[in-house]
Amino acid sequence: MDMRGDLYVISAPSGTGKTTLCRMLLKQMDRVVFSVSHTTRPPRPGEVDGVDYHFVTKEVFLSMIKQGAFLEWAEVHGHFYGTSKEGVLKQLAEGLDVLLDIDVQGARQVKKSFPEAIMIFILPPTFQELERRLRSRGTEDEASLKVRIGNAKKEVLAAPEYDYILINDVLEEALDNFKSIIKANRHKKERMVALPQVKKILIEAEKAAEER
Ligand code: ADP
Ligand code: 5GP
């Protein structure tokens, strides 16, 4: 029996607050890690290579696809994004819960190759609020903003394909619900019976049953 962590796929339209929620969750919960994706998108001010993304050229990205290095990859808003297989599998084997912040196309690929992945879709309270958040973040020019808002209306249609839906209205409430999902999954019997403490109790109980 292994002590493998859970793989979480987190998707939401750009500007919903998925990065904010994931960052807060990582600060507040132990044994959860974020999988750092590779992208050909240029870094935004304040983004750090190796922390927010591995920023690579299109040539490097294409050669990684050829080598089969990605668990999934997709072209999103005109740039390539992908999840490195090696990094994720290693973290899961260490018993860590791994968060993948990926788009809907990538999420479907992960579910195919990794059916036990737990899928969470985050919705904004309204499209008006989504646009307000994207503008207030101040990272997109008008053209990129239009692309992202147009895509948002297509992306949310995929929400019913996910296992859980969160609404990021009041940040603290959304964070609390996000934590509850992770805590509940940690108590699934498949994970609990792998714990030494639970194993010990079950072995003792089995012995007692045999002696009766
Ligand atoms: P995403 O990663 O989904 O693109 P971000 O985490 O970058 O989105 O959030 C987009 C903007 O909205 C940021 O400026 C962030 O501070 C803000 N934001 C996130 N969650 C909330 C919330 N619940 N209420 C108000 N603003 C929020
Ligand atoms: P951003 O440019 O705002 O950081 O991300 C744009 C979109 O790309 C988001 O929907 C985000 O979830 C998605 N994304 C980020 N990393 C990956 C990845 O590794 N794979 C896929 N498929 N999508 C990703």
Side-chain angles (χ1 to χ4, degrees), residues 76-89:
V76 192
H77 316 313
H79 301 289
F80 287 109
Y81 294 84
T83 305
S84 137
K85 204 183 288 178
E86 192 187 319
V88 169
L89 296 181

Side-chain angles (χ1 to χ4, degrees), residues 62-129:
L62 295 176
S63 86
M64 287 181 75
I65 296 177
K66 261 199 196 152
Q67 289 159 22
F70 291 122
L71 183 63
E72 63 72 38
W73 65 270
E75 193 176 350
V76 192
H77 316 313
H79 301 289
F80 287 109
Y81 294 84
T83 305
S84 137
K85 204 183 288 178
E86 192 187 319
V88 169
L89 296 181
K90 191 167 162 273
Q91 288 169 322
L92 290 174
E94 286 167 8
L96 300 170
D97 290 330
V98 181
L99 305 184
L100 302 185
D101 166 349
I102 62 177
D103 86 311
V104 168
Q105 312 165 64
R108 290 184 182 130
Q109 291 178 48
V110 171
K111 193 71 189 175
K112 255 194 209 154
S113 59
F114 210 96
E116 60 275 42
I118 301 160
M119 317 272 286
I120 306 179
F121 199 95
I122 312 176
L123 286 173
T126 60
F127 283 120
Q128 287 90 323
E129 171 63 10

